[in-house]
């Protein structure tokens, strides 16, 4: 349709006054195999629509849901839409008190000498309980425990522990494992939670998602909708070909050994 380009061409027919049978529906036509070769190419253009090609495509359009499903699909806007669902894993932390973690916790401009003893006293305290514990102990010692210092200490004492509860930071937010983030695409016609139960949780039960983060998108997957799977060879045909190859190999080996 266009000269000097190899990209696919899409023709949109938009009608505000659809006939009743077309209302709420979208017809997709794949005319990639309906063409006539040119006698002389024009750049990348080697095919064109002859009158008979145009007539055939127009026929598919007019037939609507009675057209050959190999070249015409009837869908709705919902069929072409999807949910993008951000998935993530919440980290699980235990409290680790060593000389190294204490030194890392003390490496903060708000940390004072008295804070070290408070940090060391966190031995055995659950990581999620650190905010209340640290604030309480700091108050007893007459020291400040501001949010920046509190968050820094918690990060320094955090030790990955798959058996610990899901980690909640000093602001009350779950601690997300950024390396685990990915987006699961769910067809709009499916229930998201049912999709997760079937497609995600059996393989990664610890993953989570938030409804507020879900986004709706649209695409026209022409390749997927009109995909025609190639016929695969039967086991008998494969066995026959293998036997032929083995026979040939044996014949060649015999010739070499003469």
């Amino acid at each position: 349709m266009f000269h000097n380009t190899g990209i696919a061409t899409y023709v949109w027919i938009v009608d505000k006054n659809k006939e009743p049978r077309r209302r709420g529906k979208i017809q997709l036509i794949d005319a990639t195999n309906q063409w006539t070769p040119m006698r002389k190419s024009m750049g990348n253009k080697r095919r064109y629509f002859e009158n008979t090609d145009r007539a055939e495509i127009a026929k598919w359009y007019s037939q609507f849901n009675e057209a050959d499903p190999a070249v015409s699909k009837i869908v709705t806007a919902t069929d072409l839409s999807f949910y993008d669902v951000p998935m993530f894993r919440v980290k699980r932390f235990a409290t680790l008190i060593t000389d190294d973690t204490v030194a890392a916790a003390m490496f903060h401009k708000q940390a004072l000498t008295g804070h070290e003893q408070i940090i060391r006293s966190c031995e055995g305290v659950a990581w999620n309980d650190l905010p209340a514990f640290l604030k309480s102990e700091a108050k007893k010692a007459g020291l400040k425990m501001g949010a920046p210092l509190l968050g820094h200490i918690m990060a320094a004492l955090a030790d990955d522990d798959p058996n610990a509860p899901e980690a909640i930071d000093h602001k009350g937010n779950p601690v997300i494992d950024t390396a685990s983030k990915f987006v699961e695409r769910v067809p709009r016609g499916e229930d998201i939670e049912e999709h997760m139960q079937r497609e995600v949780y059996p393989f990664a039960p610890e993953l989570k998602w938030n409804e507020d983060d879900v986004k709706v998108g649209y695409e026209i997957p022409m390749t997927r909708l009109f995909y025609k799977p190639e016929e695969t060879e039967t086991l008998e045909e494969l066995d026959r070909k293998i036997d032929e190859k083995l026979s040939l190999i044996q014949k060649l080996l015999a010739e070499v050994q003469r």
Side-chain angles (χ1 to χ4, degrees), residues 64-124:
F64 194 52
N65 54 1
E66 295 180 358
D68 183 354
V71 294
S72 176
K73 305 288 185 185
I74 308 301
V75 297
T76 65
T78 300
D79 295 330
L80 300 178
S81 64
F82 55 83
Y83 296 113
D84 267 348
V85 185
M87 306 290 294
F88 59 88
R89 182 177 70 85
V90 179
K91 286 195 171 187
R92 297 173 183 269
F93 290 142
T95 303
L96 179 63
I97 303 296
T98 66
D99 289 341
D100 289 339
T101 61
V102 171
M106 287 295 293
F107 191 70
H108 192 277
K109 62 181 180 181
Q110 294 180 0
L112 303 176
T113 303
H115 284 113
E116 181 173 350
Q117 185 58 40
I118 295 174
I119 294 170
R120 290 188 179 277
S121 69
C122 292
E123 182 78 49

Side-chain angles (χ1 to χ4, degrees), residues 237-253:
E237 292 173 333
L238 291 173
D239 287 339
R240 180 181 56 78
K241 288 186 176 181
I242 292 174
D243 289 339
E244 290 177 355
K245 294 295 183 183
L246 289 175
S247 297
L248 177 60
I249 292 173
Q250 291 174 352
K251 181 180 179 181
L252 292 174
L253 285 174

Side-chain angles (χ1 to χ4, degrees), residues 191-209:
D191 179 83
I192 296 178
E193 187 58 32
E194 290 180 2
H195 176 92
M196 297 303 174
Q197 293 290 347
R198 185 182 68 254
E199 302 291 342
V200 178
Y201 296 151
F203 313 101
E206 73 282 2
L207 290 175
K208 297 182 177 295
W209 62 281

